[in-house]
Amino acid sequence: TPIIYNGREIPGYGVCRKSGKLYSIKQKAGQLMILKKAVYLGGHGYPENTLMVDGKSKTFLTHKVVHETLNPDVTKVEVDLGFTENEWKKTPKNVKIALLRKVLQVNHIDHNKENFNPKNLEWVTQHENIKKYHEYRESNNE
């Protein structure tokens, strides 16, 4: 599946639907090449991959790339954003998606930041993400 990030397809790269591994399509041979293991670059504590986009090197959060590519319909997530049901129904889908992408985060269900398996990732609000993290820490006496 071609990579999608912030609603935009990133040419030359893809995600394995089963494992969540990122790959590139080698220009000369048309071969699939698994990308190097994601590394911790930013100060946020999540693995990232660097990809070439429009001839420039750009860094992407790996779990967000995998989840957005394989589970792009954020409109299925129920979130209270303060809209009435009628207002939300009248809101164009592209506006809903843009708004929800800014509000929602990707949670690792097993809390392993290096597990990018699509079944291990879910859309959550920041509040839900923090709550799940604290529940996990308490249950594991961390």
Side-chain angles (χ1 to χ4, degrees):
T1 301
I3 285 179
I4 307 290
Y5 192 78
N6 287 333
R8 179 178 172 213
E9 186 174 319
I10 309 298
Y13 298 95
V15 177
C16 176
R17 288 186 180 277
K18 291 182 181 178
S19 69
K21 289 185 179 180
L22 302 182
Y23 62 86
S24 69
I25 300 169
K26 209 171 180 188
Q27 295 280 333
K28 294 180 183 176
Q31 276 182 301
L32 295 181
M33 306 287 291
I34 300 289
L35 292 180
K36 292 179 185 174
K37 185 176 178 181
V39 294
Y40 294 87
L41 298 172
H44 45 68
Y46 287 93
E48 301 174 324
N49 282 95
T50 302
L51 310 175
M52 292 300 291
V53 180
D54 300 327
K56 297 178 183 173
S57 183
K58 297 213 181 215
T59 303
F60 299 90
L61 293 169
T62 308
H63 66 292
K64 188 171 178 185
V65 167
V66 171
H67 196 55
E68 186 172 351
T69 300
L70 300 179
N71 300 294
D73 193 357
V74 292
T75 61
K76 292 181 180 179
V77 180
E78 290 191 26
V79 180
D80 182 8
L81 298 174
F83 294 98
T84 66
E85 187 175 336
N86 194 33
E87 289 171 329
W88 190 245
K89 283 181 183 177
K90 290 179 181 179
T91 304
K93 187 171 183 174
N94 64 328
V95 174
K96 290 178 187 177
I97 291 170
L99 179 61
L100 288 168
R101 279 200 186 112
K102 295 208 181 289
V103 172
L104 297 176
Q105 298 179 350
V106 178
N107 178 49
H108 291 82
I109 295 167
D110 69 358
H111 301 281
N112 175 355
K113 294 178 184 180
E114 295 184 10
N115 181 357
F116 307 118
N117 185 301
K119 292 179 182 175
N120 185 51
L121 303 172
E122 64 180 344
W123 292 111
V124 295
T125 64
Q126 181 181 25
H127 177 75
E128 291 170 320
N129 210 6
I130 291 168
K131 182 180 176 191
K132 288 175 185 242
Y133 170 73
H134 286 293
E135 288 171 355
Y136 170 77
R137 283 190 62 195
E138 287 174 14
S139 69
N140 289 293
N141 296 320
E142 289 186 19

